[in-house]
Structures are given as structure tokens and as C-alpha cells.
Amino acid sequence: PSGLFFLERKKNRPEGLCYWTWAIIVGQESPMKVAIEDVTGVLVLRASGNMRIWGHEEEQERMLNLLRAQEPPPKRVVLSLSKVHHMDTSGVGALARVLIESGKSEIELKVVLPGGFPGEMLRRIHIFDAWSQFPDEAAAIQAFLSADVADERR
């Protein structure tokens, strides 16, 4: 698997000290999947699988490039991460790029966080604290649609 890290404890120092070695397996394609879908005028950017993408430059830019490639540029995006089951710091960096682009392009963003360890990690680093978070895609899309109805009533 790509970007797999493991630690090996070594104890063969004369002083009896332990040290750790890192091994990185690269060269295989990351199993991260990214899809984009328009749902009633709301762009859903959906990442799933393994976001351990360290060492895969093209994977780190894929979500950002998909977002930038949309014509016309989207104004409302749901970033759905509910199916992400692993993530490394490069995966977090890829998400940060999407957040920065959303801010620069004045994209209204709503987020569906993953469960398990990836979700806990993202909550602890507070990367999505400034954006509305939802339990699933349907709730995030509904929030956009409800806002449209409220705007029409004004």
C-alpha cells in the first residue's frame, strides 16, 4: 500500500539505547477516491477510502484541481468525508487546500466529517471549526436548500 509507514524499534547500540527507524513504502497508487456530483445546484465533493497520501503529489492536489475545474465555478459545496477511513498529514493538507480555495473563491462550504480516527483527528486540530458541519450529505444539502427557501420568502 502507498504511503504506509511503520516503526521498527532497534536495540543494537552498545550503550543499550533504543532508536526508531521509519520505513516508507511508495510507488503504488493511493486507494483514495474522489468524486464530484451536482445535487440540485449544490456541488458535492466526495472523498472516500484511504487519505494516507504522503509522497503522492498528484493525490494531494486532486480535490483542489477538481474544484477549480468546475465551470461555472461553484458557489455552494458540500465537502463529504464520511467514507474516509484513514488519513495522514498530507491528507489534512489536501483538505486545507480545499478550504483555502473556498475562501479565496467565496464558496459557501458545508462539511460532513468522517467517523473514527480521521474524524477525531480533524476535530482535535480544529481545521473545520469555521464551517458548518453535518452528520451526512443529505443534511448538508438540505441546509443549502432551506436557506434558498428562506431567501425567497424575504
Side-chain angles (χ1 to χ4, degrees):
S2 172
L4 175 67
F5 299 91
F6 64 90
L7 288 172
E8 180 182 357
R9 189 173 182 189
K10 301 269 184 165
K11 220 181 184 182
N12 43 350
R13 296 267 177 155
E15 307 85 32
L17 299 175
C18 295
Y19 65 98
W20 296 90
T21 59
W22 285 88
I24 304 165
I25 301 169
V26 294
Q28 296 178 350
E29 193 172 317
S30 169
M32 178 180 79
K33 293 177 179 41
V34 179
I36 206 156
E37 178 183 1
D38 187 296
V39 179
T40 62
V42 176
L43 188 76
V44 178
L45 179 57
R46 190 177 294 120
S48 61
N50 186 350
M51 285 189 71
R52 291 184 293 197
I53 54 176
W54 188 88
H56 294 277
E57 189 78 25
E58 67 286 346
E59 294 292 308
Q60 294 172 22
E61 300 292 328
R62 186 158 37 138
M63 284 191 294
L64 179 62
N65 291 337
L66 270 173
L67 188 60
R68 286 179 174 166
Q70 300 307 302
E71 287 296 330
K75 288 298 169 192
R76 302 181 309 177
V77 173
V78 172
L79 176 59
S80 179
L81 306 171
S82 64
K83 304 279 186 202
V84 170
H85 52 80
H86 294 335
M87 186 177 299
D88 65 6
T89 55
S90 291
V92 174
L95 296 174
R97 288 179 188 86
V98 170
L99 297 178
I100 291 167
E101 183 67 21
S102 295
K104 283 200 251 180
S105 302
E106 297 180 3
I107 295 171
E108 188 178 352
L109 186 70
K110 299 196 183 304
V111 181
V112 179
L113 291 178
F117 178 76
E120 184 61 29
M121 177 179 62
L122 293 171
R123 282 180 201 68
R124 286 182 183 200
I125 64 173
H126 304 284
I127 189 170
F128 291 112
D129 284 359
W131 288 269
S132 300
Q133 298 171 26
F134 294 86
D136 55 42
E137 288 178 18
I141 293 166
Q142 186 59 47
F144 277 125
L145 299 178
S146 296
D148 288 347
V149 170
D151 288 343
E152 288 174 8
R153 290 183 183 164
R154 288 183 197 163

